[in-house]
Amino acid sequence: EDFQIVALDDEHASYYQITFGENSAVWGIAKDGSNTLVWQKQGFSCQISSNRDLSELIKIAEGITFGNASEDV
């Protein structure tokens, strides 16, 4: 099973543990309203940061593939 250790500075953001698909992730909400999604899959650490809504970040994350295109991130 994939796991990750994440050290985060919470001075300017709040962080939450979430799950999307089969992925365990950390979701960060900055004071400026931006979102960050951090997760690990297939040995890769992935991060998306944007002013978009969390649901949009999850859609983007679910569309990311690498290596064998049939293996989703």
Side-chain angles (χ1 to χ4, degrees):
E1 180 177 329
D2 290 330
F3 70 93
Q4 61 185 348
I5 297 172
V6 179
L8 303 165
D9 179 358
D10 63 359
E11 181 179 357
H12 300 288
S14 298
Y15 296 94
Y16 305 92
Q17 183 76 31
I18 66 166
T19 301
F20 67 94
E22 296 181 9
N23 301 292
S24 177
V26 174
W27 166 39
I29 307 169
K31 289 182 180 178
D32 68 1
S34 62
N35 290 298
T36 299
L37 189 62
V38 180
W39 73 102
Q40 183 180 38
K41 185 71 175 184
Q42 299 174 347
F44 292 93
S45 293
C46 305
Q47 176 179 330
I48 300 173
S49 298
S50 176
N51 288 328
R52 293 180 179 256
D53 185 78
L54 174 62
S55 62
E56 290 295 319
L57 268 63
I58 290 173
K59 287 178 187 176
I60 293 166
E62 291 174 335
I64 294 174
T65 59
F66 53 93
N68 183 344
S70 66
E71 296 177 8
D72 294 333
V73 173

